[in-house]
Amino acid sequence: MLPAQRALLSVSDKSGLADFARGLHELGIELISTGGTMKHIEEAEVPVAKVASVTGSPEILDGRVKTLHPTIHGGILADRGRASHLAELSEHGIRPIDLVVANLYPFEETIANPSATPAECVEMIDIGGPCMLRAAAKNFSGVVVVVDPEDYPQILVALQEHGGVVPEEIRRRLALKAFRHTQAYDTAIANWLGAEEGNAFPERVSLQLEREFVPRYGENPHQASAIYSVASEGGVLGGMRQIQGKELSWNNMLDADATRKLASLFEPPTVVITKHNNPCGVGTADTLEEAYRRALACDPVSAFGSIIAVNRPVDETLAAAMADLFVEVVIAPSYGDNALARYGKKKNLRVLECPLYRADAGDMELRGIDGGFLAQTPDGLVEDTSAWTCPTESQPTDDEQAALEFNWLVCRYVKSNAIVVGNSQQTVGIGAGQMSRLDSCRLALDKAVLEVNGAVAASDAFFPFRDGLDVLAEAGIRAVVQPGGSKRDDEVIAAANEHGMAMLFTGQRHFRH
């Protein structure tokens, strides 16, 4: 590869551009450019030639056609190792272009603006930029392609240290980066066009994922892992910020996701304590401190080494109340300075700042299986409790109604089969992940360390037999909420009437596998 002599610059993101252009000029590299990029370079008092002066053709169609010309693409694509290519360049009066610096129109930023019109979004579909990038990346054996302003300093250093030649390993890495850049761009456009069609599950789905970090291992120490974010979504867990603590593990992230989502379902101050992707205590109160004490009381043994999420800013009172419990991760929308000072005494405690979760109807959840993925929309159903029906002779009291609504929300993030026993302010016992709903009923009661008599129960799906209801009634459960819909609903309703229990049908189930 010969020393670089000419560079073509055409960028939307002009970060660091002036200094980079000046550095290239000082190395004796001729600069050619277009439109706003050229103006930016000229304002920095760096010599630059207009692309039109090289092509002999003006920019046309409101700038849609600027660099789409044989003089540009011949100069980029010519294989420096082929004598025939060099002869053709000479025949047509084309000079090689050794360095292409380009990044693309801000398409994603434009479509994220609610006021952007479809026509404005279409104008942000770059054509010339991706063509130049792909051409330069394909020909990385003789051309340096740069898409990221953060790479400018190392390019200048490489040119200075290697006599105007960027080493091959760097050129190859930059080419890979360029192809990923255009891939992400095309994916964003395809997803936007697909969304415009109104199809929640298009025939083909393209994902652009960015690696956020690499934990030490996956679910188990013998498994490798990485955490990726969807490029267009602003980061994992709503764009979390880790304020303190040791590195997050794969299991931490999985548990943090479920804990944050459950806490976000509640309006009053609420604390959720999770262990192994299941809540082991949920409490609500006028203050987070009291909500925490209620959540912890449900299962203080399982709370050791747990994940805790809250739906309010954390104050010093809550942080102080948590001082005696070993916690892996705390998640909140924000923290007071005094609370952070308290948490700072536990250097390993991971403290995450995350916005509350709000399900978007346009979201798609993917779960990997061998050879593919399962796709579904999120379980973001907003419960309309006024639509619930009561098929039993007994009606729930006001307090029982509040308790049923509270525990029904908790049920959504308990692994199926799920039974949640509690009152209007806290969970009392949670039966999760059993193969039999009867076993889940028994487990919820066995786990209870608080008073069960007079509590209520929520079931994520219908009772297939009356046996589960009989077990709950014998323990003193006074009311039950469930979806209904079993072919034995009449048998289950009769059992509730025999026990004097109130029962509500929601008409919706909330399986979580």
Side-chain angles (χ1 to χ4, degrees):
M1 184 176 177
L2 297 175
Q5 295 182 8
R6 298 175 87 209
L8 171 59
L9 302 92
S10 180
V11 297
S12 289
D13 180 358
K14 297 176 177 57
S15 304
L17 175 63
D19 289 339
F20 186 51
R22 185 175 294 106
L24 294 175
H25 171 67
E26 290 172 354
L27 288 168
I29 297 173
E30 177 188 349
L31 308 184
I32 56 178
S33 189
T34 62
T37 305
M38 186 179 71
K39 182 180 178 182
H40 190 87
I41 295 172
E42 287 177 331
E43 289 174 350
E45 299 182 348
V46 176
V48 58
K50 192 174 185 178
V51 163
S53 69
V54 175
T55 63
S57 299
E59 296 182 8
I60 62 173
L61 306 180
D62 297 320
R64 284 189 174 192
V65 179
K66 298 189 286 281
T67 58
L68 298 172
H69 194 279
T71 302
I72 298 300
H73 285 274
I76 296 172
L77 280 167
D79 185 341
R80 276 66 165 167
R82 296 189 193 183
S84 60
H85 281 202
L86 298 178
E88 283 189 68
L89 290 186
S90 178
E91 178 184 351
H92 296 289
I94 298 173
R95 293 175 56 202
I97 294 173
D98 309 302
L99 196 149
V100 173
V101 184
N103 48 63
L104 309 178
Y105 293 166
F107 178 79
E108 289 186 88
E109 292 86 342
T110 302
I111 62 174
N113 182 352
S115 64
T117 66
E120 289 171 334
C121 295
V122 167
E123 283 306 310
M124 287 298 106
I125 298 177
D126 202 334
I127 302 300
C131 289
M132 288 191 297
L133 289 177
R134 290 179 60 82
K138 173 180 178 175
N139 203 24
F140 72 87
S141 63
V143 179
V144 180
V145 58
V146 188
V147 298
D148 186 352
E150 291 189 4
D151 289 324
Y152 292 168
Q154 72 155 322
I155 299 301
L156 291 176
V157 169
L159 289 167
Q160 291 165 355
E161 293 182 350
H162 299 277
V165 176
V166 174
E168 183 180 1
E169 63 270 19
I170 298 179
R171 298 198 308 272
R172 178 182 288 272
R173 180 180 60 79
L174 293 172
L176 172 61
K177 199 168 188 176
F179 279 121
R180 284 176 172 166
H181 187 65
T182 58
Q183 177 190 35
Y185 196 76
D186 288 340
T187 296
I189 295 169
N191 289 343
W192 176 71
L193 289 172
E196 290 290 297
E197 293 178 350
N199 188 347
F201 299 102
E203 292 183 7
R204 183 181 295 271
V205 176
S206 298
L207 290 177
Q208 179 61 26
L209 304 180
E210 296 180 356
R211 194 176 69 193
E212 294 272 346
F213 58 94
V214 177
R216 284 184 299 160
Y217 53 81
E219 199 164 9
N220 297 291
H222 62 275
Q223 295 173 268
S225 72
I227 307 298
Y228 287 87
S229 64
V230 179
S232 60
E233 296 298 317
V236 293
L237 303 186
M240 72 171 194
R241 181 171 72 97
Q242 184 169 356
I243 297 175
Q244 71 160 58
K246 60 184 181 180
E247 66 175 356
L248 289 154
S249 72
W250 192 93
N251 290 324
N252 288 158
M253 293 299 293
L254 189 67
D255 289 341
D257 181 56
T259 314
R260 168 180 172 253
K261 286 177 176 176
L262 178 52
S264 298
L265 288 178
F266 294 88
E267 292 299 328
T270 301
V271 174
V272 176
I273 306 176
T274 294
K275 192 74 171 290
H276 298 306
N277 218 230
N278 273 304
C280 58
V282 181
T284 188
D286 291 334
T287 67
L288 286 180
E289 178 196 8
E290 184 57 32
Y292 165 73
R293 297 191 187 282
R294 288 172 177 168
L296 181 63
C298 176
D299 190 350
V301 174
S302 296
F304 180 85
S306 60
I307 309 287
I308 295 181
V310 304
N311 64 349
R312 291 287 194 284
V314 173
D315 57 20
E316 183 181 12
T317 307
L318 173 62
M322 294 172 56
D324 294 333
L325 179 66
F326 169 57
V327 178
E328 292 276 2
V329 183
V330 178
I331 307 159
S334 62
Y335 300 83
D337 291 341
N338 291 335
L340 291 177
R342 285 268 185 179
Y343 288 143
K345 297 177 181 178
K346 297 183 176 183
K347 300 303 182 184
N348 289 333
L349 173 65
R350 305 163 179 91
V351 176
L352 303 184
E353 183 178 85
C354 306
L356 296 179
Y357 170 75
R358 294 291 180 260
D360 188 321
D363 289 346
M364 182 189 298
E365 292 182 343
L366 297 177
R367 179 176 295 188
I369 58 173
D370 183 24
F373 291 88
L374 304 175
Q376 67 174 356
T377 56
D379 186 0
L381 180 70
V382 178
E383 299 288 348
D384 180 8
T385 58
S386 67
W388 293 1
T389 60
C390 181
T392 53
E393 296 168 359
S394 296
Q395 300 280 327
T397 65
D398 289 346
D399 187 61
E400 288 169 348
Q401 177 75 30
L404 292 169
E405 292 178 9
F406 174 83
N407 289 278
W408 179 247
L409 286 179
V410 176
C411 229
R412 189 178 299 197
Y413 283 95
V414 177
K415 296 285 188 177
S416 299
N417 289 314
I419 297 292
V420 180
V421 172
N423 54 48
S424 62
Q425 298 174 321
Q426 64 193 140
T427 53
V428 170
I430 298 174
Q434 301 305 299
M435 288 65 75
S436 156
R437 193 156 301 276
L438 175 61
D439 287 342
S440 289
C441 292
R442 289 170 173 160
L443 179 60
L445 297 171
D446 288 345
K447 292 285 292 181
V449 294
L450 301 171
E451 182 58 57
V452 169
N453 188 41
V456 306
S459 174
D460 65 343
F462 61 64
F463 286 89
F465 305 99
R466 64 170 289 167
D467 51 5
L469 209 70
D470 290 334
V471 167
L472 293 172
E474 289 169 7
I477 299 300
R478 298 299 305 151
V480 173
V481 60
Q482 58 136 321
S486 168
K487 65 180 181 181
R488 293 187 177 85
D489 272 352
D490 289 344
E491 177 185 323
V492 175
I493 293 168
N497 287 331
E498 287 176 23
H499 297 299
M501 298 173 71
M503 185 163 60
L504 296 179
F505 283 178
T506 68
Q508 301 285 348
R509 80 177 189 198
H510 288 292
F511 272 162
R512 179 173 168 81
H513 286 92

